[in-house]
């Protein structure tokens, strides 16, 4: 019996052998102290742009939020919940620029 072929998304993920964008490196490069707040789903969009500029693969939204939440607990970023959304407090995102 032949095994089922993986989904297109799974095959593309396997085919893309670029390293995954490191969430901690993204945070160092693009997040700074501020008086604002950023919803982590929106922050994922900035992360994706940063990954593109760095030539690395972006994590899925869910994986990014999970890893960013773990990082936040370790480094002391303040996260709050608003409904079902995690919010990064007292921070702002620097503009993502193309990699040198």
């Amino acid at each position: 019996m032949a095994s089922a072929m993986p989904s297109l998304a799974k095959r593309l993920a396997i085919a893309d052998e670029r390293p995954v964008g490191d969430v901690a490196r993204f945070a160092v490069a693009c997040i700074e102290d501020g008086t604002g707040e950023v919803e982590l789903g929106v922050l994922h969009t900035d992360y994706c742009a940063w990954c593109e500029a760095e030539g690395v693969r972006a994590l899925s939204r869910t994986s990014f939020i999970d890893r960013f939440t773990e990082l936040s607990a370790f480094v002391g970023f303040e996260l709050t919940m608003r409904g079902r959304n995690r919010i990064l407090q007292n921070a702002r995102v620097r503009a993502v620029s193309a990699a040198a």
Side-chain angles (χ1 to χ4, degrees):
M1 175 188 260
S3 62
M5 180 172 265
S7 69
L8 176 60
K10 182 71 116 179
R11 292 190 321 260
L12 289 172
I14 292 168
D16 187 352
E17 295 182 3
R18 294 177 297 166
V20 174
D22 185 88
V23 174
R25 281 191 55 225
F26 163 74
V28 168
C30 299
I31 297 174
E32 58 189 30
D33 289 336
T35 57
E37 59 184 35
V38 183
E39 194 270 319
L40 293 195
V42 173
L43 190 60
H44 178 256
T45 301
D46 295 311
Y47 164 77
C48 289
W50 177 82
C51 286
E52 184 69 27
E54 293 290 314
V56 296
R57 279 187 300 130
L59 293 167
S60 69
R61 183 180 190 269
T62 300
S63 293
F64 170 80
I65 290 172
D66 289 346
R67 289 204 187 164
F68 194 88
T69 300
E70 291 171 4
L71 176 67
S72 297
F74 183 73
V75 301
F77 286 144
E78 181 184 353
L79 293 180
T80 59
M81 293 295 292
R82 185 173 300 136
R84 294 179 53 181
N85 298 314
R86 291 185 186 132
I87 311 294
L88 173 61
Q89 297 291 331
N90 304 313
R92 71 181 206 89
V93 180
R94 290 186 210 113
V96 175
S97 59

